[in-house]
Amino acid sequence: MLFYHVEEEEQPEDKDENPLLSENPSEVETDILAETQKTDNTEAPVIQDEISKEDKAVIKIQSWWRGTLVRRTLLHAALRAWVIQCWWRLMQAKFAEKRRRVTLDKFSREEWAAVRLQSWARMWRIRQRYCQVLNAVRIIQAYWRCHTCASRGLIKGQYRVTASQLHLELEILLGSGPCVVTECIPLPIKQ
């Protein structure tokens, strides 16, 4: 499909004015020129040569323009794709950071709960052991007190010092019964 209009007037050939003209046509240009020549057999051969050069120039300009449009479209599409990819990478990084933070929070809560449970269990075990030891100490103390009172006896005493005497009162408890000793000792006073 060609998008050009061919005039039947002769135009002067000037290769310096249009640098897009070339001497070697491509295969597509040759096919298009062949179709044009098949449909336009009524024109003179001289005009067909000029039209074919004009067609070449028009085809070259049209192909350049279509290539420019395609490149522009591809550039815009590539830029849009790049923007979307940048946004998606940013979102993935945010999602990964959020997942990492949630995982870290969950791990720290579980770790804290485990430490708390372990401390409670250790505290309970230590308290149980302390109560057992305390009970054993009380039993040992009770038996020791009974043994001490029964076998050795117990001595309690009080004293009072006055200006010239020492008042001493001792109570001795042996297995049979208490014995109370009271004595007043005079103190030597230097004059």
Side-chain angles (χ1 to χ4, degrees):
M1 173 187 241
L2 292 175
F3 299 104
Y4 60 88
H5 178 69
V6 178
E7 296 180 8
E8 295 190 14
E9 297 179 10
E10 287 188 32
Q11 295 183 358
E13 292 182 31
D14 192 8
K15 291 183 181 177
D16 294 335
E17 288 182 13
N18 193 352
L20 297 175
L21 292 177
S22 66
E23 296 295 324
N24 300 327
S26 66
E27 291 179 14
V28 175
E29 292 171 351
T30 309
D31 292 340
I32 292 172
L33 290 176
E35 288 178 15
T36 306
Q37 289 174 358
K38 288 178 188 175
T39 58
D40 246 355
N41 287 337
T42 59
E43 297 182 9
V46 175
I47 295 175
Q48 278 188 352
D49 287 338
E50 289 179 13
I51 291 174
S52 66
K53 287 181 182 178
E54 207 174 89
D55 287 344
K56 289 178 189 179
V58 169
I59 290 170
K60 193 160 210 154
I61 291 170
Q62 287 176 352
S63 67
W64 170 81
W65 180 246
R66 279 190 299 257
T68 303
L69 290 177
V70 168
R71 282 190 295 277
R72 185 184 307 159
T73 305
L74 289 175
L75 178 65
H76 287 292
L79 287 175
R80 289 181 187 124
W82 179 73
V83 168
I84 291 170
Q85 288 170 352
C86 289
W87 174 81
W88 181 245
R89 285 188 203 109
L90 180 68
M91 288 292 109
Q92 282 182 328
K94 284 183 181 179
F95 292 148
E97 180 65 23
K98 188 175 181 180
R99 272 181 286 171
R100 187 188 69 79
R101 212 175 268 155
V102 166
T103 305
L104 187 62
D105 287 345
K106 182 181 175 187
F107 175 76
S108 65
R109 274 188 266 119
E110 289 175 355
E111 188 76 17
W112 181 82
V115 168
R116 190 76 179 251
L117 286 173
Q118 289 171 354
S119 68
W120 285 346
R122 280 194 300 271
M123 183 179 67
W124 180 77
R125 279 195 350 240
I126 289 170
R127 184 170 171 77
Q128 288 286 354
R129 182 69 182 138
Y130 173 74
C131 289
Q132 287 175 352
V133 169
L134 187 62
N135 194 22
V137 165
R138 287 181 182 151
I139 291 171
I140 291 170
Q141 285 175 347
Y143 279 115
W144 180 255
R145 285 183 189 129
C146 289
H147 175 69
T148 306
C149 290
S151 63
R152 292 189 186 166
L154 182 65
I155 300 175
K156 288 185 191 177
Q158 293 180 1
Y159 67 92
R160 189 177 64 214
V161 178
T162 58
S164 62
Q165 291 181 346
L166 171 66
H167 294 283
L168 184 63
E169 185 178 319
L170 293 176
E171 183 180 346
I172 302 171
L173 299 173
L174 291 175
S176 60
C179 176
V180 178
V181 177
T182 305
E183 194 168 330
C184 289
I185 303 170
L187 293 174
I189 301 174
K190 293 181 183 179
Q191 294 186 2

